[in-house]
Amino acid sequence: MNVVWCVKNNPFVRLLMGAMKNSGCPITLNRHVSCENCKGRVNGGYDPETNQVVVCQNTAVKSSTCCSVLAHEFIHAFDACRAKIDFDNLEHLACTEIRAANLVHCSMSTAIFEGDAGFNNIKEAQKECVKRKAILSIIMVRQVTAEKARKVVDKVFDRCWNDLEPIGRRCRRKSKDPEMAYHEGYLYGYTD
């Protein structure tokens, strides 16, 4: 139920689905999205082998969580479609995790709330939030050391941080940025 609501109402999810279609990789819900019970505290994931997003129906019970999972994982699907990334390559994985954190999760207010921002580092707060989330994701997905994950994130960070496709901007939390990005999507063939 939440997945369908997100597809109809969430601007990020709608924009990403349009971008996937425009890139030659249209998403069909019954084929590309699977709702499953998951172990642990994970809310979802992307399986590159099946090209399928998994939404953990036992943990992603709120529509906002479900939409966040779909948007994050659709970034990975978009990267797989557009850039043909190799999820076994740590640099590729780091890049798509940086992009997903940058475009979907981290904003200035998120960085402050999660402790990445302080009076001495407000300018770098969003970058620190993105790095932290990307490192944690890499550790979970590939079970590498934090040091190895940090090194690979640092190596590819600038290039991947600056890649804002298909959203085109870093969106502020609780702003009209997601809706504006969706409405501008027609300029790139992502929306009608």
Side-chain angles (χ1 to χ4, degrees), residues 16-164:
L16 286 161
M17 289 182 71
M20 292 286 294
K21 182 179 179 181
N22 183 270
S23 298
C25 303
I27 293 173
T28 306
L29 288 184
N30 62 356
R31 161 61 186 91
H32 295 103
V33 178
S34 176
C35 296
E36 302 175 8
N37 285 324
C38 303
K39 294 180 181 178
R41 296 180 359 190
V42 66
N43 290 321
Y46 175 70
D47 183 349
E49 297 295 319
T50 61
N51 189 29
Q52 193 170 53
V53 169
V54 174
V55 177
C56 298
Q57 63 190 14
N58 58 319
T59 57
V61 295
K62 294 181 180 179
S63 61
S64 59
T65 305
C66 182
C67 294
S68 179
V69 167
L70 286 172
H72 178 106
E73 304 308 336
F74 282 166
I75 292 288
H76 299 325
F78 178 78
D79 288 349
C81 175
R82 174 186 70 144
K84 311 293 186 231
I85 65 171
D86 175 3
F87 284 86
D88 291 327
N89 180 317
L90 277 181
E91 288 183 19
H92 290 197
L93 178 62
C95 192
T96 194
E97 291 297 351
I98 289 165
R99 287 179 26 74
N102 189 25
L103 296 172
V104 177
H105 297 295
C106 292
S107 64
M108 180 60 78
S109 60
T110 300
I112 292 169
F113 179 75
E114 294 187 359
D116 293 313
F119 292 112
N120 296 332
N121 69 341
I122 289 176
K123 185 177 179 184
E124 298 298 313
Q126 186 175 7
K127 286 183 178 182
E128 291 306 313
C129 176
V130 169
K131 285 181 180 183
R132 184 178 52 78
K133 286 191 177 295
I135 289 166
L136 289 173
S137 292
I138 292 166
I139 291 169
M140 272 188 1
V141 172
R142 290 291 169 250
Q143 299 176 350
V144 298
T145 66
E147 182 180 334
K148 186 170 185 174
R150 182 177 314 283
K151 283 182 182 178
V152 72
V153 165
D154 287 341
K155 182 176 181 181
V156 301
F157 188 80
D158 289 335
R159 177 174 43 91
C160 303
W161 163 262
N162 290 314
D163 183 355
L164 302 177

